[in-house]
């Protein structure tokens, strides 16, 4: 079922678009893994919401998006693409 895909763990994967904004918002720069995105997202999402909003130069929408996107991105890279 579906279209066969090459094994992506044999290649360098370049992240762009939403990956960049998510990792940048979480404070992960340059090199990251699915595990580091997951860990940073869990830490970020566990922080006090009011403290985050008050301390951030970004909008509450951005903060919510990073919390969701960290879980989504990690799951997508591991579950859908088979990367670790």
């Amino acid at each position: 079922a579906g279209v066969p895909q090459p094994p992506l763990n044999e290649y360098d994967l370049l992240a762009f678009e939403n990956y960049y904004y998510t990792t940048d918002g979480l404070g992960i720069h340059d090199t990251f893994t699915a595990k580091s995105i997951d860990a940073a997202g869990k830490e970020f999402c566990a922080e006090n919401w009011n403290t985050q909003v008050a301390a951030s130069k970004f909008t509450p929408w951005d903060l919510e998006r990073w919390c969701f996107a960290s879980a989504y991105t990690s799951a997508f890279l591991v579950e859908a693409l088979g990367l670790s």
Side-chain angles (χ1 to χ4, degrees):
V3 178
Q5 300 294 317
L8 295 177
N9 57 357
E10 296 177 10
Y11 305 97
D12 289 335
L13 180 68
L14 300 176
F16 59 92
E17 211 331 309
N18 206 27
Y19 298 112
Y20 169 79
Y21 294 110
T22 299
T23 56
D24 188 54
L26 294 173
I28 304 171
H29 304 287
D30 300 325
T31 303
F32 52 86
T33 64
K35 288 180 184 179
S36 66
I37 294 170
D38 186 55
K42 286 178 180 176
E43 181 179 331
F44 179 83
C45 298
E47 292 179 16
N48 179 279
W49 178 250
N50 292 327
T51 303
Q52 280 188 334
V53 171
S56 180
K57 64 180 180 178
F58 298 100
T59 68
W61 185 85
D62 287 322
L63 301 176
E64 290 172 350
R65 184 172 54 118
W66 293 330
C67 193
F68 167 80
S70 65
Y72 175 82
T73 301
S74 177
F76 177 74
L77 292 172
V78 173
E79 302 298 326
L81 299 181
L83 302 174
S84 58

